[in-house]
């Protein structure tokens, strides 16, 4: 059996004893004692007119030891008088049975939604904002300089034009593939040299030195120039102010003089000390297109300060298409290298050393973590419960201790556990008798200490007085009558010891 959840407005099942009264004293009858004698004792409530009489008593289990095994009774009481002064229920009227609905502690789904909806809405807004930003950013860089992409930032147009001219285009994503594919009849285009690690830079540099073909580097900066083009540096960190530039009067590169004005500005400007270098499209006195000869005859390296001439959105402007076709179509094969995350340590240090977890986290993660912490603190302040001053609350109903005791006794009766009821009765009697005969409380439940002291206070003795050992430490009653008899004998034993 399981006990229903108690009504928060109902009186507690263990009423407080009057000041100075000890457990089991006449002023506060024990629930098990009330179960055996529902109509005895000064503290027992008597049925009011109109109240249904209590049923016959069966000894119930003590909830002090197993409170969850008892089942709450349904008591039938007379209706309370009306506020207008109406008297009690007439004798012929039927008694009203109030039905108390047990209020469970289980939280309803609606309550959970009410409490959590603010947080969930805020979380949904953050997720939507994050997805929107991710979509915008990915859209801006999707297929960037990819010869298979028709997006404005892609390069499919120039790849199709090269295909019409008989130039094959092969897309690779690792430096090793790019180096293996390079040769005298190949143009190697590196779309993002600054993204390469040390190992990838060495692979591309080997291809430049040994292939004998052309290598085109898009917008290399001081991060990659020392490895790929020694002796060459950028003029400064500021981009070239003009996007569309003229080849310049000192330019001797046929591709540039044929194409004319092109979008090579807006990126880096270069300065070199290498002999035989050809510079075109100057900006502020420094070329934005630089052609460097390599050690093998016929090979060269082209540095482009901007990628504007290769994008779909700008290919048809000025002489961009002509310049792009001549720079990339000088050989029958074009290897288009797009560095990716699959390219080993393309974004790592290139040393082959094992990186820690913190090394793999993108830059700026500490600021993102700080923002999340501040957002959590603001949400906590927003949703936190405001605690006001303590307020004394008046209980809606006051229940007499005797009424609660009688209700508890009915719980015992309904459980039908005479053994536990007898155990509670005997334990209470032993504690009271120990106090009367001077036995320490710690030894109140020890037969060797308590029984001789109680027997010494008895005047008649057996067979007139029952054996104290049997009463206080005997077997479990087998019937309701035996339980009631046990209660009577325990009461008589206490009275005799108290008056002796």
């Amino acid at each position: 059996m399981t006990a229903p959840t108690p009504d928060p407005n109902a009186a507690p099942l263990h009423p407080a004893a009057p000041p100075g009264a000890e457990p089991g004293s006449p002023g506060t009858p024990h629930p098990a004692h009330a179960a055996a004698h529902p109509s005895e004792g000064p503290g027992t409530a008597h049925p009011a007119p109109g109240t249904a009489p209590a049923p016959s008593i069966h000894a119930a289990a003590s909830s002090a030891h197993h409170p969850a095994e008892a089942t709450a009774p349904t008591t039938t009481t007379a209706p309370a008088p009306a506020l207008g002064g109406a008297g009690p229920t007439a004798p012929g009227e039927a008694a009203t049975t109030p039905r108390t609905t047990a209020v469970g502690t289980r939280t309803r789904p609606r309550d959970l939604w009410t409490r959590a909806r603010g947080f969930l809405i805020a979380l949904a807004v953050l997720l939507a904002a994050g997805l929107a930003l991710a979509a915008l950013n990915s859209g801006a860089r999707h297929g960037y300089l990819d010869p298979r992409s028709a997006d404005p930032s892609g390069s499919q147009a120039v790849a199709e034009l090269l295909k019409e001219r008989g130039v094959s285009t092969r897309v690779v994503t690792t430096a090793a593939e790019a180096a293996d594919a390079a040769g005298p009849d190949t143009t190697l285009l590196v779309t993002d040299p600054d993204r390469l690690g040390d190992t990838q830079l060495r692979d591309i540099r080997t291809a430049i030195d040994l292939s004998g073909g052309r290598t085109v580097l898009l917008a290399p900066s001081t991060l990659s120039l020392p490895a790929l083009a020694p002796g060459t540096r950028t003029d400064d960190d500021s981009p070239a102010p003009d996007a569309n530039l003229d080849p310049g009067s000192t330019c001797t590169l046929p591709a540039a003089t044929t194409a004319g004005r092109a979008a090579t500005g807006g990126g880096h400007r270069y300065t070199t000390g290498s002999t035989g270098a050809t510079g075109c499209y100057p900006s502020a006195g420094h070329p934005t297109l630089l052609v460097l000869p390599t050690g093998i005859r016929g090979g060269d390296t082209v540095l482009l300060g901007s990628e504007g001439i290769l994008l779909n959105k700008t290919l048809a402007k000025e002489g961009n298409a002509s310049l792009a076709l001549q720079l990339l179509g000088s050989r029958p094969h074009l290897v288009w290298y797009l560095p990716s995350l699959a390219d080993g340590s393309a974004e790592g240090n290139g040393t082959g050393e094992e990186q820690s977890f913190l090394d793999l986290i993108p830059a700026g993660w500490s600021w993102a973590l700080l923002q999340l912490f501040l957002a959590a603190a603001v949400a906590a302040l927003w949703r936190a419960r405001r605690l006001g001053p303590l307020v004394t609350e008046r209980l809606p109903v006051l229940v007499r201790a005797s009424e609660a005791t009688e209700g508890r006794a009915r719980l015992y009766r309904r459980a039908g556990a005479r053994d536990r009821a007898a155990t509670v009765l005997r334990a209470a009697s032993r504690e009271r008798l120990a106090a009367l005969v001077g036995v320490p409380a710690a030894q109140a439940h020890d037969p060797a200490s308590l029984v001789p002291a109680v027997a010494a206070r008895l005047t008649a003795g057996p067979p007139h007085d029952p054996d104290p050992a049997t009463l206080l430490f005997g077997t479990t009653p087998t019937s309701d009558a035996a339980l009631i008899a046990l209660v009577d004998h325990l009461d008589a034993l206490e009275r005799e010891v108290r008056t002796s």
Side-chain angles (χ1 to χ4, degrees):
M1 301 182 183
T2 58
T5 306
D7 192 332
N9 294 329
L13 293 182
H14 290 284
E22 60 180 354
S25 62
T28 56
H30 195 281
H33 187 279
H37 293 279
S39 60
E40 292 184 3
T44 303
H46 297 280
T51 303
S56 60
I57 304 301
H58 293 278
S62 168
S63 64
H65 296 281
H66 300 277
E69 297 183 7
T71 306
T74 302
T75 59
T76 304
T77 60
L83 293 178
T89 306
E93 295 180 5
T96 304
T97 303
R99 300 180 64 86
T100 302
T101 303
V103 180
T105 58
R106 184 176 57 184
T107 304
R108 295 178 299 176
R110 184 173 182 179
D111 296 335
L112 288 176
W113 164 247
T114 301
R115 296 175 184 175
R117 62 185 176 185
F119 173 77
L120 293 177
I121 291 174
L123 182 61
V125 171
L126 290 176
L127 289 177
L131 291 176
L133 291 175
L136 291 175
N137 292 334
S138 63
R141 301 290 298 181
H142 175 68
Y144 188 72
L145 287 174
D146 192 330
R148 300 161 297 187
S149 174
D151 292 344
S153 59
S155 299
Q156 187 181 38
V158 68
E160 291 296 330
L161 291 176
L162 289 171
K163 182 178 179 181
E164 293 177 358
R165 294 173 176 266
V167 178
S168 64
T169 301
R170 175 187 175 186
V171 179
V172 297
T173 56
T174 64
E177 292 177 330
D180 292 341
D185 58 348
T186 301
T187 299
L188 173 61
L189 172 63
V190 183
T191 59
D192 194 356
D194 292 345
R195 192 177 180 182
L196 304 181
D198 293 343
T199 302
Q200 286 69 37
L201 290 174
R202 286 194 296 269
D203 291 341
I204 299 301
R205 182 61 197 177
T206 301
I208 293 175
D209 293 337
L210 302 180
S211 66
R214 169 170 286 182
T215 303
V216 179
L217 305 177
L218 290 185
S221 68
T222 54
L223 296 176
S224 57
L225 281 177
L228 299 180
T232 304
R233 65 183 185 277
T234 57
D235 178 57
D236 54 30
D237 293 334
S238 61
D242 298 327
N244 297 317
L245 302 173
D246 293 320
S249 57
T250 60
C251 178
T252 59
L253 182 67
T257 57
T258 303
R261 190 174 179 85
T264 61
H268 297 292
R269 301 185 294 266
Y270 300 102
T271 301
T272 183
S274 302
T275 58
T278 303
C280 300
Y281 298 99
S283 174
H286 298 279
T288 57
L289 185 152
L290 188 63
V291 180
L292 303 174
T294 59
I296 298 181
R297 183 180 180 84
D300 58 10
T301 301
V302 179
L303 308 182
L304 268 176
S306 173
E307 67 277 7
I309 65 172
L310 301 181
L311 300 179
N312 293 333
K313 60 184 178 181
T314 56
L315 184 65
K317 298 179 180 179
E318 303 291 346
N320 296 338
S322 175
L323 181 61
L325 292 176
Q326 294 183 75
L327 291 179
L328 301 182
S330 61
R331 271 79 172 172
H333 304 291
L334 172 63
V335 177
W336 201 296
Y337 176 30
L338 296 171
S340 66
L341 295 177
D343 191 7
S345 58
E347 292 183 344
N349 52 18
T351 61
E353 298 179 357
E354 184 177 357
Q355 294 176 303
S356 65
F357 175 76
L358 294 179
D359 294 334
L360 300 177
I361 299 178
W365 66 270
S366 56
W367 290 107
L369 185 63
L370 178 60
Q371 292 177 6
L372 289 177
F373 176 77
L374 292 177
V378 171
L381 291 176
W382 169 46
R383 297 297 298 172
R385 185 181 300 276
R386 272 65 173 176
L387 299 178
L390 295 178
V391 178
T392 303
E393 181 183 3
R394 293 178 59 86
L395 294 178
V397 120
L398 294 177
V399 181
R400 291 181 298 173
S402 59
E403 293 180 3
T405 302
E406 184 177 355
R408 188 62 174 273
R410 289 177 179 173
L411 283 176
Y412 296 162
R413 176 196 60 79
R414 180 168 295 187
R418 287 183 290 271
D419 54 344
R420 291 170 184 159
T423 300
V424 172
L425 290 169
R426 284 169 167 156
S429 295
R430 289 196 296 265
E431 292 173 359
R432 291 191 292 268
L433 289 173
L436 293 175
V437 300
V439 175
Q443 301 177 2
H445 304 288
D446 182 14
S449 301
L450 183 62
V451 172
V454 172
R457 301 287 291 272
L458 301 179
T459 56
H464 302 286
D465 291 329
D467 183 14
T470 303
L471 289 178
L472 298 174
F473 300 96
T475 59
T476 301
T478 57
S479 63
D480 292 346
L483 179 61
I484 294 174
L486 173 63
V487 174
D488 292 337
H489 288 307
L490 289 175
D491 286 342
L493 179 62
E494 291 185 34
R495 282 195 301 268
E496 184 171 356
V497 171
R498 187 176 291 107
T499 58
S500 62

